[in-house]
Amino acid sequence: MGPLGPPAARRDVVRRDTAGHDAVDPADAGPDAVCPADAASPQRRLPARVRRGGAAFAVAYLRATAFLNLLAGVWASFGQSVRRHDAEVLYTPYLLTAGFASGLFAAFLAVTMRRGKRAAWILNVSLSGVFVLALGLAMAFPEVRGHPQNWVSLAVSALFLLALLAGRDAFRARGDRSNPALACGVALAGTAVCVAVGTALVTATGAARGATLDDRVAYTLTRVISLSSGEGSSPGVTTPGWVNVVINGMSALLFLLVLYAAFRAPRGRELLGPRDETALRALLERHGGRDSLGYFALRRDKSVMWSPTAKAAIAYRVVGGVTLASGDPIGDPEAWPGAIEPWLREAREHGWTPAVMGASEEGGTIYARHGLDALEIGDEAIVETAAFHLDGRAMRTVRQAYHRVRRSGYTVTIRRHEDITEDEMAAVLERADRWRGGEGERGFSMALGRLGDPADGRCVLVECRDAHGAPRALLSFVPWGEDGLSLDLMRRERACDNGLIEFAVIELVLRSGELGVARLSLNFAMFRSVFERGARLGAGPVLRLWRSLLTFFSRWWQIESLYRANAKYRPAWQPRYLCFRKSSDLPRIGLAGARAEGFLAAPRLPVPLRRAGRPGARDRDGDGNASLPVGVR
């Protein structure tokens, strides 16, 4: 499905795609899942327990093989024993060859198989099938079948092959269709480059003066492909050890590039298009008051998954093999499962890891019914404008700071974006970009990623000016239903007085009646409960240790300072959750979340491995022209 909204034609496609599937289809989730019934497949006649066990055994075998190979690489005597038994007429089981290269290869296959990759299953079936066939034919010779170890190796390898065939339905995740051709191209081009560079090094060292060019090329090619010494193929070539290390390093790098090209995850769906955006805005008009993060679903670097009835949708982005949704689904809660099911099924089909950042308690409960676990990661600060006041001892510090800034002559202007002229908005964009100070854009789950777009006319701009009328700080809020605002962007001039942001927020709260605003969603405070409970009398040692670690890391990531900045408004705290499938996925999800929020930048791939640009890959204005995003909380 492309970036189309929910017209009837598209709803039919979704309905046909989802028909006949349960809410959770564990067969696609990996080796631990149950395969759905399908009478058309003869393999389905096997008992479900056999299919699950076969898939799990295949993954366990690859993990054990990887461990033994790596162990043999560091334990010399064990490695020599394995290699001695894997020579002449003695054979070890499939992939057990003792060494770092084979160990990493087996580990890579174990990871891809655990994620249900179909390409990994095909590769293992092909390699193990050839190995079992060759060893079975070799058993016809008396000197081979006379060794009991060979029978054990044949039995273990054949059992692995049978397990693969039995658990076939657990490996359905599809890769990009261009992966095989790309992997072959990378292998051929990379081998040519490695051979050319290696041959040049062999020639430059002067160690092959008596050898012909063919001998030097043969030596380098043998070493690149097999990592062997290569002396047998080119007796006249002798090289220094560092040359061999360089050639081996290039070979290892080429091997990793080929594996990446062969098993890379497919690209995500088309990004948010005009029809999707129009349909999402219609849903937000009816149900936007449920979630303060709902408007951020309109980021144009997200994709949308619609329910069959088009009454609910999930906005998400695929980052590093993780399909990352943010906030709750948009629309009618009764229709949320209709959007969650195809989203999870798409993740299983492509081998993506599903995750949700910033789900509310209601949303987390619905996601939990579909097989995801939930972990509280922090709280959102909600200020009820009618209950806010500056009186009392608890607000003394805030009250004093507010009056100090006000006495300095600062004023605040509050306007809807639609009430700002184009020239004024252009000046606002220039200031926001300049005050950012050259830092990279951040934000995904709680940032719109743009400012001044004509489609966002209901957003609110809060500008703080000094006594001379010069702008010194600005805030932008997105709509939260009919009577709420959610903080999107904060910028201030670095050389200005402290407290301008707080002054602007308080002015907005005190003057909220001008806009009919009853509630404000401010920043998200990660692990707020840890700081709050860890500072109390009687806090346990584990909680105090956890608080100490967060305080230490706050030197770089401002975790505690952000909590303190929010707490001064005496807000109501709304917990937010991270939803995930398995605890082992948390490190991967954490990296994907950090990349999506802009805290980490993915390394650039070589040009041949970069994907072609997709429609909607950048923010666009109404005319389809690219615009620079500047909005970040």
Side-chain angles (χ1 to χ4, degrees):
M1 294 174 287
L4 301 178
R10 185 178 179 188
R11 289 199 298 269
D12 291 340
V13 173
V14 177
R15 188 173 294 110
R16 288 195 299 270
D17 188 41
T18 58
H21 292 273
D22 296 330
V24 179
D25 189 358
D28 299 333
D32 301 330
V34 180
C35 298
D38 183 0
S41 175
Q43 197 262 352
R44 305 280 187 173
R45 299 169 186 169
L46 293 174
R49 182 176 301 179
V50 174
R51 300 197 299 269
R52 293 195 304 267
F57 175 82
V59 175
Y61 175 86
L62 291 172
R63 289 174 175 173
T65 302
F67 173 76
L68 292 175
N69 285 339
L70 295 175
L71 179 64
V74 298
W75 188 357
S77 59
F78 178 65
Q80 291 174 359
S81 177
V82 173
R83 284 186 287 270
R84 185 175 63 251
H85 286 81
D86 198 14
E88 298 179 354
V89 294
L90 298 177
Y91 298 91
T92 52
Y94 170 68
L95 282 187
L96 185 59
T97 58
F100 288 109
S102 57
L104 293 176
F105 181 58
F108 179 86
L109 290 178
V111 171
T112 52
M113 292 282 286
R114 184 64 185 85
R115 294 174 183 171
K117 295 283 188 177
R118 189 68 171 179
W121 180 86
I122 294 174
L123 179 61
N124 273 293
V125 168
S126 301
L127 294 179
S128 62
V130 171
F131 180 85
V132 170
L133 178 61
L135 183 54
L137 295 176
M139 297 296 275
F141 298 94
E143 60 272 21
V144 176
R145 66 171 178 266
H147 296 279
Q149 173 192 321
N150 293 338
W151 289 101
V152 174
S153 298
L154 178 60
V156 172
S157 302
L159 182 61
F160 173 74
L161 178 60
L162 292 175
L164 285 175
L165 297 175
R168 183 183 68 177
D169 285 344
F171 308 103
R172 291 184 172 185
R174 299 174 295 180
D176 197 289
R177 293 182 178 180
S178 63
N179 284 359
L182 179 61
C184 293
V186 170
L188 294 176
T191 300
V193 172
C194 290
V195 170
V197 174
T199 302
L201 289 177
V202 172
T203 304
T205 56
R209 293 176 182 174
T212 64
L213 178 61
D214 292 342
D215 292 335
R216 283 171 277 170
V217 171
Y219 174 88
T220 307
L221 179 61
T222 302
R223 195 162 191 94
V224 167
I225 295 177
S226 65
L227 296 180
S228 65
S229 61
E231 281 84 356
S233 60
S234 305
V237 178
T238 57
T239 58
W242 68 268
V243 173
N244 293 332
V245 171
V246 171
I247 297 175
N248 290 348
M250 291 190 300
S251 178
L253 178 59
L254 174 61
F255 179 66
L256 293 177
L257 288 176
V258 171
L259 287 180
Y260 169 78
F263 291 95
R264 62 176 185 163
R267 66 185 65 186
R269 294 154 49 87
E270 296 296 336
L271 302 185
L272 187 69
R275 296 178 68 182
D276 272 324
E277 184 172 340
T278 300
L280 280 177
R281 290 184 183 275
L283 285 183
L284 289 172
E285 289 181 2
R286 297 191 296 270
H287 305 282
R290 305 191 64 90
D291 186 10
S292 63
L293 307 186
Y295 198 87
F296 300 123
L298 297 175
R299 284 182 63 107
R300 291 168 185 156
D301 58 357
K302 293 182 178 180
S303 303
V304 182
M305 180 65 73
W306 290 92
S307 68
T309 60
K311 293 182 179 180
I314 291 179
Y316 67 98
R317 187 201 300 176
V318 180
V319 182
V322 176
T323 173
L324 199 62
S326 57
D328 295 342
I330 309 299
D332 187 352
E334 294 185 359
W336 287 0
I340 295 174
E341 292 165 13
W343 173 63
L344 291 176
R345 183 166 60 254
E346 181 186 54
R348 292 189 292 267
E349 289 175 352
H350 298 307
W352 295 333
T353 299
V356 184
M357 293 179 59
S360 69
E361 187 169 359
E362 180 182 17
T365 301
I366 302 300
Y367 279 114
R369 294 175 184 172
H370 290 76
L372 300 185
D373 202 352
L375 175 67
E376 183 176 344
I377 56 173
D379 297 84
E380 180 185 11
I382 305 295
V383 176
E384 301 289 342
T385 59
F388 181 84
H389 58 81
L390 292 175
D391 302 328
R393 186 173 182 179
M395 300 295 290
R396 179 182 178 184
T397 302
V398 178
R399 182 172 62 251
Q400 291 177 342
Y402 170 78
H403 288 303
R404 174 180 55 81
V405 175
R406 188 174 184 179
R407 286 193 299 268
S408 298
Y410 285 93
T411 58
V412 170
T413 302
I414 303 174
R415 294 178 291 176
R416 296 279 183 182
H417 285 199
E418 60 191 8
D419 299 327
I420 304 174
T421 65
E422 292 185 6
D423 293 340
E424 288 180 303
M425 184 58 73
V428 169
L429 291 173
E430 188 277 329
R431 288 193 295 269
D433 189 54
R434 174 162 44 87
W435 291 345
R436 189 179 59 185
E439 296 181 358
E441 287 293 349
R442 293 181 180 178
F444 169 71
S445 57
M446 297 183 180
L448 187 58
R450 61 180 182 266
L451 182 64
D453 192 298
D456 302 319
R458 298 303 296 167
C459 293
V460 174
L461 181 69
V462 181
E463 292 181 281
C464 186
R465 302 175 182 270
D466 61 16
H468 304 288
R472 298 298 183 185
L474 64 88
L475 296 87
S476 183
F477 291 80
V478 300
W480 173 16
E482 296 181 355
D483 61 351
L485 294 176
S486 186
L487 179 61
D488 171 38
L489 174 146
M490 293 188 300
R491 292 279 192 273
R492 73 179 182 91
E493 192 175 24
R494 295 180 182 271
C496 67
D497 297 334
N498 292 326
L500 294 191
I501 297 296
E502 291 81 357
F503 177 71
V505 171
I506 294 174
E507 277 288 298
L508 176 61
V509 174
L510 296 179
R511 297 164 53 184
S512 58
E514 300 175 9
L515 301 173
V517 173
R519 51 186 178 169
L520 289 180
S521 169
L522 301 179
N523 281 309
F524 171 75
M526 291 189 64
F527 307 113
R528 178 204 61 92
S529 59
V530 175
F531 291 110
E532 184 178 278
R533 296 199 302 263
R536 293 177 182 173
L537 181 66
V542 176
L543 186 58
R544 291 200 302 269
L545 176 61
W546 183 219
R547 181 177 182 273
S548 299
L549 289 174
L550 292 178
T551 302
F552 173 76
F553 287 114
S554 294
R555 300 178 182 178
W556 297 277
W557 293 322
Q558 300 181 345
I559 302 175
E560 184 176 16
S561 61
L562 189 58
Y563 156 64
R564 301 295 180 192
N566 289 326
K568 66 178 63 174
Y569 303 109
R570 316 291 293 179
W573 296 103
Q574 299 293 332
R576 290 284 175 174
Y577 299 87
L578 171 68
C579 299
F580 57 96
R581 174 165 287 162
K582 301 187 296 292
S583 298
S584 58
D585 292 333
L586 288 177
R588 191 181 186 202
I589 294 172
L591 289 176
R595 286 178 55 188
E597 296 288 353
F599 293 103
L600 291 177
R604 299 285 290 177
L605 294 172
V607 175
L609 294 182
R610 296 180 191 170
R611 300 185 191 273
R614 292 177 294 164
R618 295 184 297 171
D619 293 329
R620 292 176 297 177
D621 57 27
D623 298 326
N625 300 318
S627 59
L628 295 177
V630 297
V632 178
R633 273 204 181 196

